[in-house]
Amino acid sequence: MRVLYFDCFSGISGDMALGALMDLGIDEAEFKRELDKLNLSGYDIVVKKKVKNSIAVTDVDVVLDSEFNNGHDNCQHEHEHCHENNHEYNHVHEHEQSHGEVDNHSHGHSHDHNHHHDHNHTARNLTDIEKIIDSSDLNNNVKKFSKKVFREIALAEAKVHNKAVEEVHFHEVGAVDSIVDIVGAAICLDLLKIDKVYSSPLHDGKGFIECQHGRLPVPVPAVMEMLLKSNIPYIVEDINTELVTPTGIGIIKCLAQSFGNMPEMLIDNVGYGAGKRDTGRLNALRCIMGTMDETENRDKVIVLSTNIDDMNPEILGFVMDELFELGALEVHYTPVYMKKNRPAVELTVICNGDKEQIIVDKILKETTTLGIRRTITERYKMDREMVKVNTQYGEVKVKVSKYGQFKKIAPEYEDCREIALNKDVPLWKVYNEVCKKEI
């Protein structure tokens, strides 16, 4: 099984991701032939090898045609400029962290040169961008992932600005850059034949960034929205700028199976994608490509256990909910008998290594236990993804699990319960309706 690990020690942006993937050995001519299938005009793409902090990195630059460079010479465009109600603002932006120097008008361009734009260019909303992707000659895997990332970003921006997702418009210039970065990353993943993707925690800076809409805190609101309830570990570095951009987190959130330490693998290649801004240290994204044993779908997990015989059972229920909220993979209680035949429960928690310490802290804080047993073990597991199914009663999320030739589906209880209550339909009928669907 071919796997990829994103080492986001200096954050992640769209062009950094594309550069790191290209650096893994993608043939530039083949990549451009695939990108041409998008049938998108108005740009050229320049791929260069550079040296930063004595490390060879790949720099990707999207150069816009002259028709996009006319207009207001005093205003640099940002990677994902946005129009809303005919008023320009910079929130749907790829103000690429790594890119250029901040001035009074922009967060810093993602390229080494400045592009100017006409404020009157046509804006594109999510539907427009999805139509461009759907009407292209790209393969289905590339189309599916590209649309998934754009939707993730658009939903975050819609929430931030209290708008319907259809009202979020990407400015013509910014949309070109964003489409190239996102679709380009999807093409690279397809060319590399990657089966699974993992990521480190996301490292970001601090402070504020300047844009035409004013000063925004780091992380910018769209990034913060995508972090909510994502279980993505987020680390703030002592660097006074943004390191994680909306396009960057959109790509990795839609791509990575899990976040934490690099999984056990045989390393085949390493790629570095260049950032543009001087952060005082190596500003790049590292992608590590390797192989894992594909005959055994398993991973390492931490098992924590402790015996409890002096707690109110209602509090134990609260503890279980809190542990799941922190990212535990499994929590269960087992009835046991302790010394002097006292009835008790054994609390068992399974978690990934990156969640271990916060879960240990929670158990020690919320329970009466004085100690916790710890075991590192391996588990077999099925690949899982969440899909949405339309039924006569409404939309239901379904967990689809696969292992070799085996496939299982499990409708989400909360969705089914809400439909049953709102529609006054027996819960079992909702379940049966979902299970009839071909998934």
Side-chain angles (χ1 to χ4, degrees), residues 58-76:
T58 292
D59 178 83
V60 177
D61 202 4
V62 179
V63 183
L64 303 180
D65 288 351
S66 58
E67 63 179 289
F68 292 103
N69 293 334
N70 301 320
H72 300 262
D73 288 341
N74 64 342
C75 178
Q76 292 177 314

Side-chain angles (χ1 to χ4, degrees), residues 244-268:
V244 176
T245 69
T247 295
I249 191 174
I251 289 173
I252 200 63
K253 182 177 180 179
C254 293
L255 193 59
Q257 178 174 310
S258 64
F259 292 80
N261 294 329
M262 188 172 74
E264 183 179 331
M265 70 168 78
L266 298 176
I267 297 175
D268 300 323

Side-chain angles (χ1 to χ4, degrees), residues 244-388:
V244 176
T245 69
T247 295
I249 191 174
I251 289 173
I252 200 63
K253 182 177 180 179
C254 293
L255 193 59
Q257 178 174 310
S258 64
F259 292 80
N261 294 329
M262 188 172 74
E264 183 179 331
M265 70 168 78
L266 298 176
I267 297 175
D268 300 323
N269 205 351
V270 179
Y272 290 86
K276 309 298 192 296
R277 176 170 292 172
D278 182 8
T279 62
R281 64 184 192 185
L282 178 62
N283 184 18
L285 172 68
R286 178 163 58 188
C287 279
I288 302 166
M289 187 168 66
T291 53
M292 297 173 66
D293 186 354
E294 60 184 337
T295 62
E296 296 182 293
N297 196 10
R298 63 188 186 186
D299 63 355
K300 284 186 172 64
V301 291
I302 308 297
V303 180
L304 304 170
S305 63
T306 185
N307 294 346
I308 301 170
D309 67 351
D310 54 354
M311 279 187 66
N312 183 332
E314 292 178 342
I315 297 177
L316 292 175
F318 170 80
V319 172
M320 175 181 283
D321 292 341
E322 289 290 290
L323 294 174
F324 275 124
E325 188 69 26
L326 290 175
L329 301 171
E330 182 58 68
V331 182
H332 64 264
Y333 294 106
T334 306
V336 295
Y337 287 91
M338 296 174 62
K339 62 183 179 181
K340 299 181 181 178
N341 216 29
R342 293 199 308 270
V345 294
E346 180 183 21
L347 166 62
T348 303
V349 182
I350 301 174
C351 64
N352 289 320
D354 60 306
K355 301 292 184 182
E356 179 181 2
Q357 192 57 57
I358 59 174
I359 286 175
V360 166
D361 293 345
K362 177 62 70 172
I363 293 172
L364 293 175
K365 176 184 176 181
E366 298 287 354
T367 74
T368 56
T369 189
L370 301 179
I372 301 169
R373 298 180 294 276
R374 174 184 186 270
T375 304
I376 301 176
T377 189
E378 292 185 340
R379 62 169 183 166
Y380 289 94
K381 64 176 184 176
M382 302 182 76
D383 292 327
R384 302 165 217 178
E385 66 172 333
M386 195 69 74
V387 301
K388 292 181 179 179

Side-chain angles (χ1 to χ4, degrees), residues 158-185:
K159 179 69 178 299
V160 167
H161 302 297
N162 195 29
K163 299 289 183 182
V165 69
E166 295 80 11
E167 296 180 72
V168 175
H169 287 75
F170 296 82
H171 186 272
E172 177 81 11
V173 177
V176 171
D177 279 348
S178 303
I179 293 171
V180 172
D181 283 346
I182 292 168
V183 175

Side-chain angles (χ1 to χ4, degrees), residues 104-216:
N104 291 331
H105 300 286
S106 75
H107 296 181
H109 197 276
S110 62
H111 313 309
D112 290 333
H113 57 278
N114 297 337
H115 296 314
H116 306 291
H117 68 274
D118 185 344
H119 288 197
N120 295 320
H121 273 307
T122 304
R124 289 182 174 125
N125 63 15
L126 179 63
T127 301
D128 297 327
I129 293 175
E130 289 178 336
K131 285 180 180 177
I132 292 172
I133 295 171
D134 283 332
S135 62
S136 73
D137 298 319
L138 295 165
N139 71 42
N140 288 333
N141 288 337
V142 173
K143 290 180 180 180
K144 182 178 178 182
F145 177 73
S146 300
K147 291 191 295 182
K148 183 178 181 181
V149 176
F150 264 108
R151 179 161 290 273
E152 179 71 34
I153 297 169
L155 287 171
E157 294 289 351
K159 179 69 178 299
V160 167
H161 302 297
N162 195 29
K163 299 289 183 182
V165 69
E166 295 80 11
E167 296 180 72
V168 175
H169 287 75
F170 296 82
H171 186 272
E172 177 81 11
V173 177
V176 171
D177 279 348
S178 303
I179 293 171
V180 172
D181 283 346
I182 292 168
V183 175
I187 289 170
C188 288
L189 291 162
D190 191 63
L191 292 174
L192 292 169
K193 307 299 181 187
I194 300 299
D195 298 303
K196 288 189 177 180
V197 176
Y198 302 88
S199 176
S200 71
L202 302 187
H203 291 246
D204 204 351
K206 63 179 184 178
F208 293 82
I209 47 93
E210 298 286 347
C211 70
Q212 287 180 319
H213 204 62
R215 302 188 77 201
L216 293 179

